[in-house]
Amino acid sequence: MAAAASSIDRSGALEITQRLTEICGPPFARFAGPADEVAGRAARWVAVPGGPQAAAEVLRLAARHGLTVVPRGAGTKIDWGAAPEQVDIMLDTGRLAGIGHEPVGAAVAEVGAGTPLRAVQATLDRTGQRLAVDAPSPGATLGGVLAAGEAGPLRHRHGTPCDQLVGVRYLTADGELVSAGGGAPGLDLARLLCGSQGALGVLVSATLRVQAVPATRLWVSRPVWTPLEVHDLVRTILAARLDPAAIELDLPALPRPRRPIDPTGPAAAARARHPSMGGRADAPSRAGSVVVLLEGGPAEAVERAERLVSLLDGALVTHSAPPWWRRYPFGPGDTALRIEVPITDLHAAVYALRDAAGAPVPVRGSAGLGVVHAALPGSLPADRIASILAAVRGVLLARKGRCVVLSAPTPVRRAVDLWGELTGLPRLRAAKAHLDPHHRLAPGRLPGGG
């Protein structure tokens, strides 16, 4: 593929540009600019097709000339995962947008892949409905959320966005439009597009379940100081069977000044008597939080919140989310990690990460599922990151967990194993061979270089 692309001379490049312009329209096809890159790999052209048939034509054009294609949504997670081997055509899905006309009160909604998630929610809200999808990336499109395998706090009760798929339309590398779900076969195969970063197909639209907007949302917050305390609290919350919509954790990276806790108050008493505090004079001076979201009717939501407060010393109820809710703990330039582990071993994973890094690191995510994110400073050299990953993965392997590098500075991305042990690798490779045998879609983005 690289040889095919590099052999295109100037006249050939202009011919491809002209053909892309004919397919997409004059404003929607161009040579790529400095900002058009995927995980540091620069694109050659950008095409913004106006519908599924135009997108299929772009893919067929790429196939004829041996060019690679990488889909892009809003670009909020374009630096996640491995860099593709080559990006000839960046296929922008921004015009594959819109919400299908479903009857009012329908149990599902078909959404174009390029539709911003916030636009979907705003449209559904007018009829008192929502998607139970709350991915943290601001401005993300639904297609981008699915392609990156992204999920937010509501995954605790409703599953990930991929779990909520009931139908999908996507394009194969040869430009064939495939429909799956809704009575059509192949939904299990189509679900593999989730988290594939566009390397298995170009998502056109997805049909997901919708639900009524909850009448009441209450957040019950309890301060925490150690990972072991988190373990005990989550166990208590789950045992209470209060049907939480989310159980989220925020552990800060470094001690910071905070307002003193009333030494006679319940939070201070809870902290002092917790077994994890015994002999820990070096415990962080800034508390983290475990926050439980309860949704439902006004009376029963309040009743469940009161029951939970009675179980958790020092807990408070609010009608709004904490500032860190639906936000990742990492920023641009950090090495971003996702840790997945059985909830009984989440505290062990956090301690292992702290020990390997030599200091507390920010950890945030779904404590009720054992899926959290963490950030390592971008200033750490690649060999140091590699040693931290090896140590953490060693602990997780014995606990049937895993640690994935979501994004990282280019030197780190090139030097470390981003995925670690992957049990589903043979299935991914088989899907790649079936859907994209010539490796034209985002080559190198899948684990194992697929």
Side-chain angles (χ1 to χ4, degrees):
M1 290 177 298
S6 61
S7 64
I8 297 175
D9 58 16
R10 179 174 176 80
S11 62
L14 291 173
E15 179 184 346
I16 291 171
T17 307
Q18 180 180 355
R19 182 65 186 124
L20 288 173
T21 301
E22 293 170 356
I23 294 170
C24 301
F28 301 109
R30 58 178 172 81
F31 284 110
D36 300 312
E37 59 177 36
V38 182
R41 189 78 70 196
R44 194 166 182 183
W45 291 275
V46 176
V48 193
Q53 295 306 317
E57 281 296 315
V58 172
L59 289 168
R60 287 192 281 268
L61 175 68
R64 286 195 296 272
H65 292 275
L67 302 176
T68 62
V69 177
V70 178
R72 177 181 68 181
T76 58
K77 295 169 291 297
I78 201 71
D79 63 338
W80 282 26
E85 295 169 3
Q86 186 170 313
V87 186
D88 293 320
I89 300 175
M90 180 177 285
L91 195 157
D92 190 308
T93 64
R95 297 170 72 201
L96 304 179
I99 302 175
H101 295 287
E102 305 286 347
V104 175
V108 299
E110 182 181 8
V111 181
T115 314
L117 185 56
R118 59 190 175 194
V120 180
Q121 301 290 32
T123 300
L124 292 175
D125 186 65
R126 298 190 190 107
T127 61
Q129 295 177 305
R130 72 171 184 181
L131 296 180
V133 176
D134 58 347
S137 300
T141 63
L142 179 63
V145 168
L146 293 171
E150 191 179 24
L154 288 177
R155 84 182 98 192
H156 178 88
R157 182 178 181 185
H158 302 284
T160 67
C162 189
D163 294 331
Q164 300 177 52
L165 281 177
V166 295
V168 66
R169 292 195 303 153
Y170 65 95
L171 292 162
T172 67
D174 291 328
E176 177 187 359
L177 182 62
V178 178
S179 296
L187 185 57
D188 285 343
L189 178 62
R191 286 183 190 274
L192 290 178
L193 270 67
C194 297
S196 70
Q197 299 284 13
L200 295 179
V202 178
L203 191 65
V204 171
S205 68
T207 302
L208 297 93
R209 297 189 295 271
V210 300
Q211 58 181 234
V213 174
T216 300
R217 307 185 85 202
L218 297 175
W219 285 262
V220 180
S221 177
R222 166 68 154 75
V224 294
W225 290 270
T226 70
L228 183 57
E229 189 179 11
V230 173
H231 169 269
D232 293 347
L233 286 172
V234 171
R235 185 172 59 182
T236 298
I237 294 164
L238 293 175
R241 300 185 181 278
L242 296 174
D243 194 22
I247 305 174
E248 291 288 296
L249 164 69
D250 176 50
L251 286 177
L254 296 172
R256 293 182 185 177
R258 62 180 176 85
R259 289 179 293 178
I261 290 179
D262 178 2
T264 64
R271 177 185 182 188
R273 68 172 175 262
H274 194 275
S276 66
M277 295 302 297
R280 294 186 68 90
D282 60 341
S285 62
R286 178 193 170 204
S289 303
V290 169
V291 179
V292 181
L293 171 61
L294 300 172
E295 297 182 332
E300 58 95 10
V302 169
E303 189 272 336
R304 284 187 290 146
E306 291 175 345
R307 285 171 56 196
L308 190 55
V309 168
S310 71
L311 294 172
L312 308 178
D313 289 342
L316 297 173
V317 181
T318 64
H319 290 268
S320 59
W324 52 264
W325 193 264
R326 285 183 59 198
R327 294 187 180 182
Y328 292 118
F330 47 80
D334 288 339
T335 294
L337 308 179
R338 183 176 67 226
I339 295 173
E340 302 171 10
V341 67
I343 57 174
T344 52
D345 292 314
L346 179 58
H347 65 293
V350 176
Y351 279 129
L353 181 59
R354 288 182 173 188
D355 291 344
V361 297
V363 175
R364 188 177 295 159
S366 297
L369 294 177
V371 181
V372 296
H373 296 90
L376 297 173
S379 58
L380 289 180
D383 58 348
R384 181 78 179 100
I385 298 290
S387 67
I388 292 172
L389 287 173
V392 172
R393 285 169 174 166
V395 172
L396 291 174
L397 184 61
R399 292 168 169 80
K400 298 182 180 179
R402 58 192 294 243
C403 178
V404 174
V405 179
L406 293 181
S407 64
T410 298
V412 174
R413 185 187 288 115
R414 290 174 176 169
V416 306
D417 178 0
L418 301 181
W419 295 280
E421 294 286 336
L422 280 177
T423 56
L425 189 55
R427 191 180 180 205
L428 273 178
R429 287 175 171 167
K432 181 71 170 178
H434 175 69
L435 295 171
D436 182 22
H438 301 291
H439 286 229
R440 287 194 295 266
L441 291 177
R445 291 282 265 173
L446 286 178

